[in-house]
Amino acid sequence: MSARPAPRGAIASVAHHTTGAPEASLPPVPFLDLSRVHGPMADELAACWQRALATSDFIGGPTVERFEAEWAAACDATHAVGVANGTDALELGLVALGIGPGDEVIAPANTFVATIEAIVRSGARPVLVDVEPGRLLLTGDAVRGAVTPRTAAVIAVHLYGQPVDADDLRATCAGLGLALIEDAAQAHLARWQGEVVGSLGAFAAFSFYPGKNLGAVGDGGALVTDDPVLAERVRVLANHGRPASGHGAHVVVGTNSRLDAVQAAVLSAKLRRLEAWNEQRRTAAAAYRRLLTPHGIELLAPEPAALAVHHLEIVRVERRDEVAARLRDRGIHTGVHYPLACHQHEPYAAFAAGCLPVAERDAARVLSLPMFPGITGAEITRVADGLVAVLGELADEDPAIREVAS
Ligand SMILES: *Cc1c(COP(=O)(O)O)cnc(C)c1O
C-alpha cells in the first residue's frame, strides 16, 4: 500500500478501507446478541433445566403440552403441535394434508431455503414465484400467474417478520381451491389487520431456532392449526407413526420429530416476554426508519395493515458486499438474508416459474442491520450513521472509478 496520503476518492477506491473511522475504538455493534435476551432471565432458564433433571421429563409430557396450549392460544388457534424444528413443521404439515408426489406447491423464491426444502421432501414440486418489490412478499397475483391443475397449496412466507396481505392471499387461495399454508418462522405474533399470524390458513409452521423472535436454547418448532384431524395426523407422523391411543401400534411410516421438554419450558418462560421483545424491535425499527429515510436509503415499504415483528431489519443498497465490509471495518456487523434466491441454488434451479427479477435483483442488494431486543439507541445511531457515511464514501468514489476506467 502506498505511504503517501491517498487523494480522496482515487486510491481509496481501490485500497481496502480500514482506517480513519473514529468508531473503530468503540466496542463492535453485534448483528445479534442473544446474551442480552437470556442474561436477565438466566436463573429462570437454569431452573428449566434443573426441573427437567429432577423429573426426568425430557421429551413430550406435561411441560410440552403446557407450551403447546400456550402457543396455540397466543396464535388464536385451537391446536399447536411441538416438533423438532420449523422445517419439519412445514414438511409434516404438507404430508398430513395429503400433499406429495404429483402435486405442486407455490412459494416465493426469496425465502430461507427450508421453505422449499420442506416441499421437496414432502414429494411435491415447488413452483417458485416472484414477490412484490415494496415488502418482498408473495401476492395473489403471483399465485394466479403460476397456478396449474396440479397446484395443491401455497406457502406464504411472512418474511423478515412482516405479515403477508392475508386478505389477498386468503381470497386468492379460496377462489382457486388451494390450501394456504403460512411459513411463520420469522413472524411470531405478527398481525395483519389485527389478526395474528398462525391462524390465517390451513396451518402455520413456526421455528424456535435460537435466533428467531421466540427462540429455544436449541432447535424446536411447532405446527399451528384449527383442524383437529390435521393436528392429530402430525402428532402421529412426528412420533414414529404411533397414535397416543393406539395401544403401541404404528399405523403409518412416521419419523422422529418431537419437541424436548427443556425447550418447551424455556419457550413458556420466554413467551411471557415475547410481546415486550417484539415491541422493543418495533421501537428499534422506527428509529432506523427515522434516521435512514432522510438519506434516501431504501427500507421495506411501510404497510398500515401490518403489525410487523421485525425479525430482520433490511435495507437495500447497491454494492451490498462492499457496504457490509466497510461497516465491519467500523465495527458494525450485518447479515444478508438471503444472498441468493432459492432457485439460484443448484438443487432448486429447476423450480423457478419463469424469470424472477425482483427476487434476483434484491438478493444482491439486501443487507440486514443489527436488530434484537436490548439493542441500544446509541447502537442504532452508530449503525445508521455508519451506513450513511459508507454510502457517501462509495458515492464519492464512483466518479473516480469511472475516470480510471475511461
Ligand atoms: C428459520 C426458518 C425456517 C426453518 O426453521 P428451522 O427451525 O431452522 O428448521 C423456515 N422458514 C423460514 C422463513 C425460516 O426463517
Side-chain angles (χ1 to χ4, degrees):
M1 204 195 278
S2 168
R4 285 180 293 125
R8 179 157 167 75
I11 292 178
S13 67
V14 268
H16 191 54
H17 167 96
T18 51
T19 55
E23 298 89 340
S25 55
L26 294 170
V29 182
F31 173 65
L32 168 64
D33 183 359
L34 284 178
S35 73
R36 294 191 215 175
V37 171
H38 294 147
M41 59 183 302
D43 290 346
E44 211 177 320
L45 295 176
C48 295
W49 168 233
Q50 281 152 6
R51 210 173 309 119
L53 269 188
T55 59
S56 297
D57 181 8
F58 294 121
I59 291 171
T63 312
V64 172
E65 286 164 20
R66 187 189 62 180
F67 172 69
E68 287 175 336
E70 290 170 353
W71 186 240
C75 297
D76 222 355
T78 48
H79 301 276
V81 182
V83 292
N85 54 68
T87 313
D88 283 2
L90 280 171
E91 179 189 335
L92 296 178
L94 286 165
V95 171
L97 279 178
I99 293 170
D103 293 323
E104 292 177 356
V105 177
I106 295 171
N110 66 331
T111 176
F112 182 53
V113 77
T115 315
I116 314 309
E117 203 176 29
I119 300 170
V120 173
R121 296 187 62 83
S122 77
R125 180 182 175 85
V127 175
L128 302 181
V129 299
D130 213 355
V131 288
E132 51 83 18
R135 298 199 299 147
L136 298 178
L137 300 178
L138 183 66
T139 62
D141 277 343
V143 170
R144 278 186 291 276
V147 76
T148 76
R150 289 176 299 282
T151 310
V154 172
I155 301 185
V157 182
H158 304 299
L159 194 69
Y160 308 135
Q162 312 170 95
V164 299
D165 182 335
D167 300 320
D168 173 30
L169 284 163
R170 260 191 304 217
T172 302
C173 289
L176 296 168
L178 308 175
L180 174 61
I181 295 164
E182 297 172 76
D183 181 339
Q186 302 190 356
H188 309 75
L189 305 188
R191 288 174 183 271
W192 176 261
Q193 304 275 28
E195 232 182 313
V196 70
V197 308
S199 52
L200 306 175
F203 74 85
F206 286 93
S207 166
F208 304 122
Y209 180 79
K212 301 290 163 90
N213 288 38
L214 180 60
V217 290
D219 275 315
L223 175 140
V224 168
T225 182
D226 281 331
D227 179 346
V229 175
L230 182 69
E232 179 57 20
R233 279 199 195 124
V234 172
R235 276 190 200 289
V236 170
L237 285 169
N239 193 25
H240 299 295
R242 186 175 55 196
S245 57
H247 310 287
H250 297 261
V251 298
V252 290
V253 177
T255 187
N256 175 357
S257 183
R258 299 175 297 217
L259 183 64
D260 291 350
V262 172
Q263 304 302 348
V266 165
L267 290 166
S268 284
K270 292 178 77 172
L271 176 53
R272 292 193 279 279
R273 296 160 168 87
L274 180 56
E275 286 285 18
W277 287 331
N278 282 345
E279 196 51 44
Q280 288 183 39
R281 289 174 182 271
R282 282 192 279 268
T283 303
Y288 275 132
R289 190 169 289 277
R290 196 167 57 240
L291 294 167
L292 296 176
T293 305
H295 298 277
I297 293 167
E298 190 181 356
L299 295 144
L300 292 168
E303 168 52 68
L307 184 68
V309 293
H310 302 276
H311 173 60
L312 294 164
E313 200 60 24
I314 67 139
V315 293
R316 284 173 275 182
V317 294
E318 303 305 324
R319 300 179 64 188
R320 184 262 323 282
D321 294 339
E322 178 67 19
V323 172
R326 291 188 185 207
L327 285 171
R328 181 170 286 260
D329 289 343
R330 291 168 176 263
I332 295 163
H333 294 254
T334 57
V336 176
H337 304 86
Y338 297 91
L340 295 173
C342 289
H343 65 285
Q344 295 175 304
H345 295 282
E346 194 274 326
Y348 305 101
F351 301 131
C355 295
L356 310 175
V358 177
E360 289 183 12
R361 186 197 59 194
D362 279 345
R365 297 168 73 230
V366 289
L367 180 70
S368 307
L369 304 180
M371 170 56 79
F372 50 90
I375 190 169
T376 67
E379 286 173 321
I380 289 168
T381 303
R382 258 180 76 199
V383 174
D385 289 351
L387 182 58
V388 169
V390 163
L391 293 175
E393 281 169 19
L394 288 170
D396 284 352
E397 289 165 20
D398 256 352
I401 290 167
R402 277 199 298 274
E403 228 170 71
V404 171
S406 65

